[in-house]
Amino acid sequence: MNPIRLLLVDDDPLVRAGLSFMLGGADDLEIVGEGADGSEVEALVDRTHPDVVLMDIRMPTVDGLVATERLRGREEAPQVIVLTTFHADEQVLRALRAGAAGFVLKDTPPAEILHAVRRVAAGDPVLSPAVTRQLMEQAAGAGPDTRRAGARTRVAALNDREREVAVAVGRGCSNAEIAAGLFMSVATVKTHVSRILAKLSLNNRVQIALLTYDAGLLDNDADDR
């Protein structure tokens, strides 16, 4: 199996050096490049073809939010994990809406960062439903009524089965858990998830979770907050 190709982007050279040292020894991971600002990301991606970009959200010229939006708007874009110092932050939420697959704190232990990279490379998000709710509640954005109305209009494009799968994704269920709960095969779940992403023009499961939350489809989970 080919190693996961990782691109590091952070304006602090000490942070980049630390990440490179901590992650570079993994047998299944190859650090293919480093960048110091979001303005460098697209050129670096074209040159190094990473599977995952580990990107600081705060950089002086072009921040990680803008870089993520630009990158995820491209065809065959790599996955993005945002590096941040705050759990609940407006910029983190905006990066997730733009297509980032999750975020990790800068003080996260190296083993957990490596686990996050592996998960994202495999197509799994690194964001729990509880953290999603925390972000939604604490970060600023559009008014809740406007956001909910827009989300419900988009969700209306799904058929009943797709809606059930979308809600299960929003609750953080794996494909196997969704299959067991809805009495279908894992392959069928994957097909439904792919159709949901295509119908709603979304990039990943994190965006499905955010949309189901916006639409109020997870309101019955309030006791888990």
Side-chain angles (χ1 to χ4, degrees):
M1 181 181 294
N2 294 328
I4 300 165
R5 297 174 63 84
L6 179 67
L7 173 65
L8 303 176
V9 183
D10 195 294
D11 63 314
D12 188 335
L14 292 178
V15 171
R16 295 199 307 273
L19 289 169
S20 181
F21 176 77
M22 291 185 298
L23 303 177
D27 294 337
D28 60 343
L29 187 147
E30 177 186 0
I31 296 175
V32 295
E34 297 183 12
D37 190 78
S39 60
E40 305 173 18
V41 169
E42 290 188 274
L44 283 168
V45 166
D46 288 339
R47 187 166 68 247
T48 63
H49 305 290
D51 300 304
V52 179
V53 179
L54 190 58
M55 181 145 50
D56 186 17
I57 204 166
R58 288 179 171 82
M59 290 180 284
T61 305
V62 174
D63 64 24
L65 169 62
V66 172
T68 297
E69 290 173 336
R70 291 175 179 173
L71 196 56
R72 293 301 298 170
R74 296 164 43 136
E75 293 186 6
E76 299 183 2
Q79 298 294 336
V80 176
I81 301 175
V82 171
L83 275 172
T84 182
T85 54
F86 300 101
H87 282 280
D89 179 274
E90 178 187 356
Q91 286 189 303
V92 173
L93 181 60
R94 288 178 61 193
L96 296 173
R97 290 191 185 282
F103 72 92
V104 293
L105 300 178
K106 287 194 173 183
D107 59 359
T108 300
E112 293 182 21
I113 296 179
L114 181 57
H115 177 66
V117 171
R118 288 169 174 157
R119 284 195 59 181
V120 165
D124 297 322
V126 286
L127 191 66
S128 71
V131 172
T132 301
R133 285 192 289 269
Q134 182 184 16
L135 282 165
M136 294 296 294
E137 290 165 357
Q138 295 190 23
D145 292 339
T146 302
R147 189 173 60 229
R148 176 156 295 194
R152 286 183 170 174
T153 298
R154 296 183 68 189
V155 169
L158 304 178
N159 62 39
D160 290 344
R161 205 55 161 166
E162 290 165 346
R163 183 185 177 103
E164 290 177 330
V165 171
V167 170
V169 170
R171 289 174 177 155
C173 298
S174 66
N175 287 340
E177 290 169 337
I178 297 171
L182 297 179
F183 305 103
M184 62 177 70
S185 69
V186 171
T188 301
V189 173
K190 291 180 179 178
T191 298
H192 280 307
V193 170
S194 295
R195 287 176 179 169
I196 292 166
L197 293 172
K199 275 189 175 183
L200 303 180
S201 300
L202 302 175
N203 286 303
N204 55 41
R205 295 168 75 101
V206 173
Q207 288 186 321
I208 295 175
L210 290 170
L211 186 63
T212 57
Y213 186 96
D214 283 346
L217 301 183
L218 305 183
D219 285 354
N220 291 336
D221 297 339
D223 291 340
D224 297 333
R225 296 179 189 178

